[in-house]
Coordinates of all heavy atoms in Angstrom, one line a residue:
M1 N -96.7 78.1 73.3 CA -96.6 76.9 72.5 C -95.3 76.2 72.8 O -94.2 76.9 72.9 CB -96.7 77.3 71.0 CG -96.4 76.1 70.2 SD -96.3 76.3 68.4 CE -97.1 77.8 68.0
C2 N -95.3 75.0 73.0 CA -94.1 74.2 73.3 C -93.7 73.4 72.0 O -94.6 72.7 71.5 CB -94.2 73.2 74.4 SG -94.5 74.0 76.0
I3 N -92.5 73.6 71.5 CA -92.1 73.0 70.3 C -90.8 72.2 70.5 O -89.9 72.7 71.1 CB -91.9 74.0 69.2 CG1 -93.2 74.7 68.9 CG2 -91.3 73.4 68.0 CD1 -93.0 75.8 67.9
G4 N -90.8 71.0 70.0 CA -89.6 70.2 70.0 C -89.1 70.2 68.6 O -89.9 70.0 67.6
I5 N -87.8 70.4 68.4 CA -87.2 70.5 67.1 C -86.2 69.3 66.9 O -85.4 69.0 67.8 CB -86.4 71.8 67.0 CG1 -87.3 73.0 67.3 CG2 -85.7 71.9 65.6 CD1 -88.3 73.3 66.2
P6 N -86.3 68.6 65.8 CA -85.4 67.5 65.5 C -84.0 68.1 65.3 O -83.8 69.1 64.6 CB -85.9 66.9 64.2 CG -87.4 67.3 64.2 CD -87.4 68.7 64.8
G7 N -83.0 67.4 65.8 CA -81.6 67.7 65.6 C -80.8 66.5 65.5 O -81.2 65.4 66.0
Q8 N -79.7 66.6 64.7 CA -78.9 65.4 64.5 C -77.6 65.6 65.4 O -76.9 66.6 65.3 CB -78.5 65.3 63.1 CG -77.7 64.0 62.8 CD -77.4 63.8 61.3 OE1 -77.3 64.7 60.6 NE2 -77.3 62.5 60.9
I9 N -77.3 64.6 66.2 CA -76.1 64.7 67.1 C -74.9 64.5 66.2 O -74.8 63.6 65.5 CB -76.2 63.6 68.2 CG1 -77.4 63.6 69.0 CG2 -74.9 63.6 69.0 CD1 -77.5 64.9 69.9
V10 N -74.0 65.6 66.3 CA -72.8 65.6 65.4 C -71.5 65.4 66.2 O -70.5 65.0 65.6 CB -72.8 66.8 64.5 CG1 -73.9 66.9 63.6 CG2 -72.8 68.1 65.4
A11 N -71.5 65.6 67.5 CA -70.3 65.5 68.3 C -70.7 65.5 69.8 O -71.7 66.0 70.2 CB -69.3 66.7 68.0
L12 N -69.8 64.9 70.5 CA -69.9 64.9 72.0 C -69.2 66.2 72.5 O -68.2 66.6 71.9 CB -69.4 63.7 72.6 CG -70.0 62.4 72.2 CD1 -69.3 61.2 72.8 CD2 -71.5 62.3 72.5
H13 N -69.7 66.7 73.6 CA -69.0 67.8 74.2 C -67.7 67.4 74.9 O -67.7 66.3 75.5 CB -70.0 68.4 75.3 CG -69.6 69.8 75.7 ND1 -68.6 70.1 76.5 CD2 -70.2 71.0 75.5 CE1 -68.5 71.4 76.7 NE2 -69.5 72.0 76.1
D14 N -66.7 68.2 74.7 CA -65.4 67.8 75.3 C -65.3 67.8 76.8 O -64.6 67.0 77.4 CB -64.3 68.7 74.7 CG -64.1 68.5 73.2 OD1 -64.4 67.4 72.7 OD2 -63.6 69.5 72.6
Q15 N -66.1 68.7 77.4 CA -65.9 68.9 78.8 C -67.1 68.5 79.7 O -67.0 68.5 80.9 CB -65.6 70.4 79.1 CG -64.3 70.8 78.4 CD -64.0 72.3 78.5 OE1 -64.8 73.1 78.9 NE2 -62.8 72.7 78.0
Q16 N -68.2 68.3 79.0 CA -69.5 67.9 79.8 C -70.0 66.6 79.3 O -70.5 66.5 78.2 CB -70.5 69.0 79.6 CG -70.1 70.4 80.0 CD -71.1 71.0 80.9 OE1 -72.0 70.4 81.4 NE2 -70.9 72.3 81.2
P17 N -69.8 65.5 80.1 CA -70.2 64.2 79.6 C -71.6 64.0 79.2 O -71.9 63.1 78.4 CB -69.7 63.3 80.7 CG -69.6 64.2 81.9 CD -69.3 65.5 81.4
D18 N -72.5 64.8 79.8 CA -74.0 64.6 79.5 C -74.4 65.6 78.4 O -75.6 65.8 78.2 CB -74.8 64.9 80.7 CG -74.7 63.7 81.7 OD1 -74.3 62.6 81.3 OD2 -75.1 63.9 82.9
H19 N -73.5 66.2 77.7 CA -73.8 67.2 76.6 C -73.2 66.8 75.3 O -72.2 66.1 75.3 CB -73.3 68.6 77.0 CG -74.1 69.2 78.1 ND1 -74.5 70.5 78.1 CD2 -74.6 68.7 79.3 CE1 -75.2 70.8 79.2 NE2 -75.3 69.7 79.9
A20 N -73.9 67.2 74.3 CA -73.4 66.9 72.9 C -73.8 68.1 72.0 O -74.4 69.0 72.5 CB -74.1 65.7 72.3
W21 N -73.3 68.1 70.8 CA -73.6 69.1 69.8 C -74.5 68.5 68.8 O -74.3 67.5 68.3 CB -72.3 69.7 69.2 CG -71.4 70.4 70.1 CD1 -70.3 69.9 70.7 CD2 -71.6 71.7 70.6 NE1 -69.7 70.9 71.5 CE2 -70.5 72.0 71.5 CE3 -72.6 72.7 70.4 CZ2 -70.4 73.2 72.2 CZ3 -72.4 73.9 71.1 CH2 -71.4 74.1 71.9
A22 N -75.6 69.2 68.6 CA -76.6 68.8 67.6 C -76.7 69.9 66.5 O -76.7 71.1 66.8 CB -78.0 68.6 68.3
E23 N -76.9 69.4 65.3 CA -77.1 70.3 64.2 C -78.6 70.4 64.0 O -79.3 69.5 63.9 CB -76.5 69.8 62.9 CG -76.6 70.8 61.8 CD -75.8 70.5 60.6 OE1 -74.5 70.3 60.8 OE2 -76.3 70.4 59.5
V24 N -79.1 71.7 64.1 CA -80.5 72.0 64.0 C -80.7 73.1 63.0 O -80.2 74.2 63.2 CB -81.1 72.5 65.4 CG1 -82.6 72.8 65.2 CG2 -80.9 71.5 66.5
C25 N -81.2 72.7 61.8 CA -81.5 73.7 60.8 C -80.2 74.4 60.4 O -80.2 75.6 60.2 CB -82.6 74.7 61.1 SG -84.2 73.9 61.5
G26 N -79.1 73.7 60.3 CA -77.9 74.3 59.9 C -77.0 74.9 60.9 O -75.9 75.4 60.7
L27 N -77.5 75.0 62.2 CA -76.8 75.6 63.3 C -76.5 74.5 64.3 O -77.2 73.5 64.5 CB -77.7 76.6 64.0 CG -78.1 77.8 63.1 CD1 -79.0 78.7 63.8 CD2 -76.9 78.6 62.6
R28 N -75.3 74.7 65.0 CA -75.0 73.7 66.0 C -75.4 74.3 67.4 O -75.2 75.5 67.7 CB -73.5 73.5 66.1 CG -73.0 72.6 65.0 CD -71.7 72.1 65.3 NE -71.3 71.1 64.2 CZ -70.3 70.4 64.2 NH1 -69.4 70.5 65.2 NH2 -70.1 69.5 63.3
R29 N -76.1 73.4 68.1 CA -76.6 73.8 69.5 C -76.1 72.8 70.5 O -76.0 71.6 70.2 CB -78.1 73.8 69.5 CG -78.7 74.8 68.6 CD -80.2 74.6 68.6 NE -80.9 75.5 67.7 CZ -81.4 76.7 68.0 NH1 -81.3 77.1 69.2 NH2 -82.0 77.4 67.1
E30 N -75.8 73.2 71.6 CA -75.4 72.3 72.7 C -76.7 71.8 73.3 O -77.6 72.5 73.6 CB -74.6 73.1 73.8 CG -74.1 72.2 74.9 CD -73.2 73.0 75.9 OE1 -72.8 74.1 75.6 OE2 -73.0 72.4 77.0
V31 N -76.7 70.5 73.5 CA -77.9 69.8 74.1 C -77.5 68.9 75.2 O -76.4 68.2 75.1 CB -78.8 69.1 73.1 CG1 -79.3 70.1 72.1 CG2 -78.0 68.0 72.4
N32 N -78.3 68.7 76.2 CA -78.1 67.8 77.2 C -78.7 66.4 76.7 O -79.8 66.4 76.3 CB -78.9 68.2 78.5 CG -78.6 67.3 79.7 OD1 -78.8 66.1 79.6 ND2 -78.1 67.9 80.8
I33 N -77.9 65.4 76.8 CA -78.3 64.1 76.2 C -78.6 63.1 77.3 O -78.8 61.9 77.0 CB -77.2 63.5 75.3 CG1 -75.9 63.4 75.9 CG2 -77.2 64.4 74.0 CD1 -74.8 62.7 75.1
A34 N -78.6 63.5 78.6 CA -78.8 62.5 79.7 C -80.1 61.7 79.6 O -80.1 60.5 79.9 CB -78.7 63.3 81.0
L35 N -81.1 62.3 79.1 CA -82.4 61.6 79.0 C -82.5 60.6 77.9 O -83.3 59.7 77.9 CB -83.6 62.6 78.8 CG -83.8 63.6 79.9 CD1 -84.8 64.7 79.5 CD2 -84.2 62.9 81.2
V36 N -81.6 60.7 76.9 CA -81.7 59.7 75.8 C -80.5 58.8 75.7 O -80.4 57.9 74.9 CB -81.8 60.4 74.4 CG1 -83.1 61.2 74.4 CG2 -80.7 61.4 74.1
C37 N -79.5 59.0 76.6 CA -78.3 58.2 76.5 C -78.5 57.0 77.4 O -78.5 57.0 78.6 CB -77.1 59.0 77.0 SG -75.5 58.2 76.8
D38 N -78.6 55.8 76.7 CA -78.9 54.6 77.5 C -77.7 53.6 77.4 O -77.8 52.4 77.4 CB -80.1 53.9 77.0 CG -80.2 53.7 75.5 OD1 -79.2 54.1 74.8 OD2 -81.2 53.2 75.0
G39 N -76.5 54.2 77.3 CA -75.3 53.4 77.1 C -74.1 54.3 76.8 O -73.9 55.3 77.5
Q40 N -73.4 54.0 75.8 CA -72.3 54.8 75.4 C -72.7 56.0 74.6 O -73.4 55.8 73.6 CB -71.3 53.9 74.6 CG -70.7 52.8 75.4 CD -69.8 53.3 76.5 OE1 -69.1 54.3 76.4 NE2 -69.9 52.6 77.6
P41 N -72.3 57.2 75.0 CA -72.8 58.4 74.3 C -72.4 58.4 72.9 O -73.1 59.0 72.0 CB -72.1 59.5 75.1 CG -71.8 59.0 76.4 CD -71.6 57.5 76.2
Q42 N -71.3 57.8 72.5 CA -70.8 57.7 71.1 C -71.8 57.1 70.2 O -71.8 57.5 69.0 CB -69.5 56.9 71.0 CG -68.3 57.5 71.7 CD -68.3 57.1 73.2 OE1 -69.2 56.5 73.7 NE2 -67.2 57.5 73.9
T43 N -72.7 56.3 70.7 CA -73.7 55.6 69.8 C -74.7 56.6 69.4 O -75.5 56.3 68.4 CB -74.4 54.5 70.5 OG1 -75.1 54.9 71.7 CG2 -73.4 53.4 71.0
L44 N -74.8 57.8 70.0 CA -75.8 58.8 69.6 C -75.3 59.6 68.4 O -76.1 60.2 67.7 CB -76.1 59.8 70.7 CG -76.8 59.2 72.0 CD1 -76.8 60.2 73.1 CD2 -78.2 58.8 71.6
I45 N -74.0 59.7 68.1 CA -73.5 60.5 67.0 C -74.1 60.0 65.7 O -74.1 58.8 65.4 CB -71.9 60.4 67.0 CG1 -71.4 61.1 68.3 CG2 -71.4 61.1 65.7 CD1 -69.9 61.0 68.4
G46 N -74.6 60.9 64.9 CA -75.3 60.6 63.7 C -76.8 60.4 63.8 O -77.5 60.3 62.8
G47 N -77.2 60.1 65.1 CA -78.6 59.9 65.3 C -79.4 61.2 65.5 O -78.9 62.3 65.7
W48 N -80.7 61.0 65.4 CA -81.6 62.2 65.5 C -82.3 62.1 66.8 O -82.7 61.1 67.3 CB -82.7 62.1 64.4 CG -82.1 62.4 63.0 CD1 -81.5 61.5 62.2 CD2 -82.1 63.7 62.4 NE1 -81.1 62.2 61.0 CE2 -81.4 63.5 61.2 CE3 -82.5 65.0 62.8 CZ2 -81.2 64.6 60.3 CZ3 -82.3 66.0 61.9 CH2 -81.7 65.8 60.6
V49 N -82.5 63.3 67.4 CA -83.2 63.5 68.7 C -84.2 64.6 68.6 O -84.1 65.5 67.8 CB -82.3 63.7 69.9 CG1 -81.4 62.5 70.1 CG2 -81.4 64.9 69.6
L50 N -85.2 64.6 69.4 CA -86.2 65.7 69.5 C -85.7 66.6 70.7 O -85.5 66.1 71.8 CB -87.6 65.2 69.8 CG -88.7 66.2 69.8 CD1 -88.9 66.7 68.4 CD2 -90.0 65.6 70.3
I51 N -85.4 67.9 70.4 CA -84.8 68.8 71.3 C -85.9 69.8 71.8 O -86.6 70.4 70.9 CB -83.6 69.5 70.7 CG1 -82.6 68.5 70.2 CG2 -83.0 70.5 71.7 CD1 -81.5 69.0 69.3
H52 N -85.9 70.1 73.1 CA -86.8 71.1 73.6 C -86.0 71.8 74.8 O -85.5 71.1 75.6 CB -88.1 70.5 74.2 CG -89.0 71.5 74.8 ND1 -89.5 72.6 74.1 CD2 -89.4 71.7 76.1 CE1 -90.3 73.3 74.9 NE2 -90.2 72.8 76.1
V53 N -85.9 73.1 74.7 CA -85.2 73.9 75.7 C -83.8 73.3 76.1 O -83.4 73.3 77.3 CB -86.0 74.3 77.0 CG1 -87.2 75.1 76.6 CG2 -86.5 73.0 77.7
G54 N -83.1 72.9 75.1 CA -81.7 72.4 75.4 C -81.6 71.0 75.8 O -80.4 70.5 76.1
F55 N -82.7 70.2 75.8 CA -82.6 68.8 76.3 C -83.1 68.0 75.1 O -84.1 68.2 74.5 CB -83.5 68.6 77.5 CG -83.0 69.1 78.7 CD1 -83.2 70.5 79.1 CD2 -82.3 68.4 79.6 CE1 -82.7 71.0 80.3 CE2 -81.8 68.9 80.8 CZ -82.0 70.2 81.1
A56 N -82.3 66.9 74.9 CA -82.8 65.9 73.9 C -83.8 65.0 74.7 O -83.4 64.4 75.7 CB -81.6 65.0 73.5
L57 N -85.0 65.0 74.3 CA -86.1 64.4 75.0 C -86.3 62.9 74.5 O -86.8 62.1 75.3 CB -87.4 65.1 74.9 CG -87.4 66.6 75.4 CD1 -88.8 67.2 75.1 CD2 -87.1 66.6 76.9
S58 N -86.1 62.7 73.3 CA -86.3 61.3 72.7 C -85.5 61.2 71.5 O -85.2 62.1 70.8 CB -87.8 61.1 72.5 OG -88.3 62.0 71.5
K59 N -85.3 59.9 71.1 CA -84.7 59.6 69.8 C -85.7 59.5 68.7 O -86.9 59.1 69.0 CB -84.0 58.2 69.9 CG -82.8 58.2 70.9 CD -82.2 56.8 71.0 CE -81.2 56.7 72.1 NZ -80.7 55.4 72.2
L60 N -85.3 59.9 67.5 CA -86.2 59.8 66.3 C -85.4 59.1 65.2 O -84.2 59.1 65.2 CB -86.5 61.2 65.8 CG -87.1 62.3 66.7 CD1 -87.1 63.6 66.0 CD2 -88.5 61.8 67.1
D61 N -86.2 58.4 64.3 CA -85.5 57.9 63.2 C -85.4 59.1 62.1 O -86.1 60.1 62.3 CB -86.2 56.7 62.6 CG -87.6 56.9 62.1 OD1 -87.9 58.0 61.4 OD2 -88.5 56.0 62.3
E62 N -84.6 58.9 61.2 CA -84.3 60.0 60.2 C -85.6 60.4 59.5 O -85.8 61.6 59.3 CB -83.2 59.7 59.3 CG -82.9 60.8 58.4 CD -81.6 60.6 57.5 OE1 -81.1 59.5 57.6 OE2 -81.3 61.5 56.8
Q63 N -86.4 59.5 59.1 CA -87.6 59.8 58.3 C -88.6 60.7 59.2 O -89.1 61.7 58.7 CB -88.3 58.6 57.9 CG -89.6 58.9 57.1 CD -90.3 57.6 56.6 OE1 -89.7 56.6 56.6 NE2 -91.5 57.8 56.1
E64 N -88.8 60.3 60.4 CA -89.6 61.1 61.3 C -89.1 62.5 61.5 O -89.8 63.5 61.6 CB -89.8 60.3 62.6 CG -90.7 61.0 63.6 CD -90.9 60.3 64.9 OE1 -90.2 59.3 65.2 OE2 -91.8 60.6 65.6
A65 N -87.7 62.6 61.7 CA -87.1 63.9 61.9 C -87.3 64.8 60.7 O -87.7 65.9 60.8 CB -85.6 63.7 62.2
Q66 N -87.1 64.2 59.5 CA -87.3 65.0 58.3 C -88.7 65.4 58.1 O -89.0 66.6 57.7 CB -86.8 64.2 57.0 CG -85.3 64.0 57.1 CD -84.4 65.2 57.1 OE1 -84.8 66.3 56.6 NE2 -83.2 65.1 57.6
E67 N -89.7 64.6 58.3 CA -91.1 64.9 58.2 C -91.5 66.0 59.2 O -92.2 66.9 58.8 CB -92.0 63.7 58.4 CG -91.9 62.7 57.3 CD -92.6 61.4 57.6 OE1 -93.1 61.2 58.7 OE2 -92.6 60.5 56.7
T68 N -90.9 65.9 60.4 CA -91.2 67.0 61.4 C -90.6 68.3 61.0 O -91.2 69.4 61.1 CB -90.6 66.5 62.8 OG1 -91.2 65.3 63.1 CG2 -91.0 67.6 63.8
L69 N -89.4 68.3 60.4 CA -88.8 69.5 60.0 C -89.5 70.2 58.8 O -89.7 71.4 58.8 CB -87.3 69.3 59.5 CG -86.3 69.1 60.7 CD1 -85.0 68.6 60.1 CD2 -86.1 70.4 61.5
V70 N -90.0 69.3 57.9 CA -90.9 69.9 56.8 C -92.1 70.5 57.4 O -92.5 71.7 57.0 CB -91.2 68.7 55.8 CG1 -92.3 69.2 54.8 CG2 -90.0 68.3 55.0
A71 N -92.8 69.9 58.3 CA -94.0 70.5 58.9 C -93.6 71.8 59.7 O -94.4 72.7 59.6 CB -94.6 69.5 59.9
L72 N -92.5 71.8 60.4 CA -92.2 73.0 61.1 C -91.8 74.2 60.2 O -92.2 75.3 60.4 CB -91.0 72.8 62.0 CG -91.3 71.9 63.3 CD1 -90.0 71.5 64.0 CD2 -92.2 72.7 64.2
H73 N -91.2 73.8 59.1 CA -90.9 74.9 58.1 C -92.2 75.4 57.4 O -92.3 76.6 57.2 CB -89.9 74.4 57.0 CG -88.5 74.4 57.5 ND1 -87.8 75.5 57.8 CD2 -87.7 73.4 57.8 CE1 -86.5 75.2 58.2 NE2 -86.5 73.9 58.3
A74 N -93.1 74.6 57.3 CA -94.4 75.0 56.7 C -95.1 75.9 57.8 O -95.8 76.9 57.4 CB -95.3 73.8 56.4
M75 N -95.0 75.6 59.0 CA -95.6 76.4 60.1 C -94.9 77.8 60.3 O -95.6 78.7 60.7 CB -95.5 75.7 61.5 CG -96.4 74.5 61.6 SD -96.1 73.7 63.2 CE -96.3 75.0 64.4
E76 N -93.7 77.9 59.9 CA -93.0 79.2 60.2 C -93.6 80.3 59.3 O -93.4 81.4 59.7 CB -91.5 79.0 60.0 CG -91.0 79.0 58.5 CD -89.5 78.9 58.4 OE1 -88.8 79.7 59.1 OE2 -89.0 78.0 57.7
E77 N -94.3 79.9 58.3 CA -94.9 81.0 57.5 C -96.1 81.6 58.2 O -96.4 82.7 57.9 CB -95.3 80.4 56.1 CG -94.2 79.9 55.3 CD -94.6 79.2 54.0 OE1 -95.8 79.4 53.6 OE2 -93.8 78.6 53.4
V78 N -96.7 80.9 59.1 CA -97.9 81.4 59.8 C -97.6 81.7 61.3 O -98.5 82.3 61.9 CB -99.1 80.5 59.6 CG1 -99.5 80.5 58.1 CG2 -98.8 79.1 60.1
E79 N -96.6 81.1 61.8 CA -96.3 81.3 63.3 C -95.0 81.9 63.5 O -93.9 81.2 63.3 CB -96.4 79.9 63.9 CG -96.2 79.9 65.4 CD -97.3 80.7 66.2 OE1 -98.5 80.6 65.9 OE2 -96.8 81.6 66.9
A80 N -94.9 83.1 63.9 CA -93.7 83.8 64.1 C -92.7 83.2 65.1 O -91.5 83.2 64.9 CB -94.0 85.3 64.6
D81 N -93.3 82.6 66.2 CA -92.4 81.9 67.2 C -91.6 80.7 66.6 O -90.5 80.5 66.9 CB -93.2 81.4 68.3 CG -93.7 82.5 69.2 OD1 -93.2 83.7 69.1 OD2 -94.7 82.3 70.0
V82 N -92.3 80.0 65.7 CA -91.6 78.9 65.0 C -90.5 79.4 64.1 O -89.4 78.9 64.1 CB -92.6 78.0 64.2 CG1 -91.8 77.0 63.4 CG2 -93.6 77.4 65.1
A83 N -90.7 80.5 63.4 CA -89.7 81.0 62.5 C -88.5 81.5 63.3 O -87.4 81.3 63.0 CB -90.3 82.2 61.7
L84 N -88.8 82.2 64.5 CA -87.7 82.6 65.3 C -86.9 81.5 65.9 O -85.7 81.5 65.9 CB -88.3 83.4 66.5 CG -88.8 84.8 66.2 CD1 -89.5 85.5 67.4 CD2 -87.6 85.7 65.7
F85 N -87.6 80.4 66.3 CA -86.8 79.3 66.8 C -86.0 78.6 65.8 O -84.8 78.2 66.0 CB -87.8 78.3 67.5 CG -87.1 77.2 68.3 CD1 -86.6 77.5 69.6 CD2 -86.7 76.0 67.7 CE1 -85.9 76.5 70.3 CE2 -86.0 75.0 68.4 CZ -85.6 75.3 69.7
L86 N -86.5 78.4 64.6 CA -85.8 77.7 63.6 C -84.6 78.5 63.1 O -83.6 77.9 62.7 CB -86.7 77.4 62.4 CG -87.8 76.3 62.6 CD1 -88.7 76.2 61.4 CD2 -87.2 75.0 62.9
G87 N -84.7 79.8 63.2 CA -83.6 80.6 62.7 C -82.7 81.1 63.8 O -81.6 81.7 63.6
A88 N -83.1 80.9 65.1 CA -82.3 81.4 66.2 C -81.1 80.5 66.5 O -81.1 79.4 66.1 CB -83.2 81.6 67.5
G89 N -80.1 81.1 67.2 CA -79.0 80.2 67.6 C -77.7 80.8 67.1 O -77.7 81.8 66.4
E90 N -76.7 80.2 67.5 CA -75.3 80.6 67.2 C -74.6 79.5 66.5 O -74.5 78.4 67.0 CB -74.6 81.1 68.4 CG -73.3 81.7 68.2 CD -72.7 82.2 69.5 OE1 -73.4 82.9 70.3 OE2 -71.6 81.9 69.8
A91 N -74.1 79.8 65.3 CA -73.3 78.7 64.6 C -72.0 78.5 65.3 O -71.4 79.5 65.8 CB -73.1 79.2 63.2
R92 N -71.6 77.3 65.4 CA -70.3 77.0 66.0 C -69.5 76.1 65.1 O -69.9 75.3 64.4 CB -70.5 76.3 67.4 CG -71.2 77.3 68.3 CD -71.3 76.7 69.7 NE -72.1 77.6 70.4 CZ -72.0 77.9 71.6 NH1 -71.0 77.4 72.3 NH2 -72.7 78.8 72.3

């Protein structure tokens, strides 16, 4: 199963211009923003993106991101892979 998880961009990476830090379910993850950055990367801070395997694939509005997170949390009760993904990662 392929799952994209909404995350909020909270900071740009200091050493990699195409990378940023996104908060996903309370954890910070490094993500590649090259596919969604259509100008100045700073404009992404505070915005929501759909993340899959470390890449921000598309921008989301906050309502869509929150609705997707609610659906994913409902799925984690029946799908072990979703529960692992939502809880996996390293806080930074």
Side-chain angles (χ1 to χ4, degrees):
M1 173 186 339
C2 294
I3 296 178
I5 304 291
Q8 187 174 30
I9 303 296
V10 294
L12 299 177
H13 196 288
D14 291 336
Q15 299 171 354
Q16 303 233 10
D18 286 344
H19 288 222
W21 293 102
E23 187 169 305
V24 179
C25 299
L27 301 173
R28 284 198 176 187
R29 297 175 184 264
E30 183 176 348
V31 295
N32 186 306
I33 57 171
L35 297 173
V36 297
C37 189
D38 53 1
Q40 295 297 318
Q42 296 85 352
T43 62
L44 293 173
I45 295 175
W48 289 86
V49 293
L50 188 65
I51 302 167
H52 179 66
V53 295
F55 287 85
L57 299 178
S58 62
K59 296 178 187 177
L60 303 173
D61 64 41
E62 185 172 1
Q63 181 178 347
E64 184 179 11
Q66 294 300 333
E67 290 171 358
T68 302
L69 285 170
V70 167
L72 288 170
H73 282 289
M75 286 177 58
E76 76 179 312
E77 295 177 14
V78 294
E79 182 61 52
D81 289 342
V82 174
L84 286 172
F85 189 82
L86 288 174
E90 186 175 310
R92 295 187 187 218

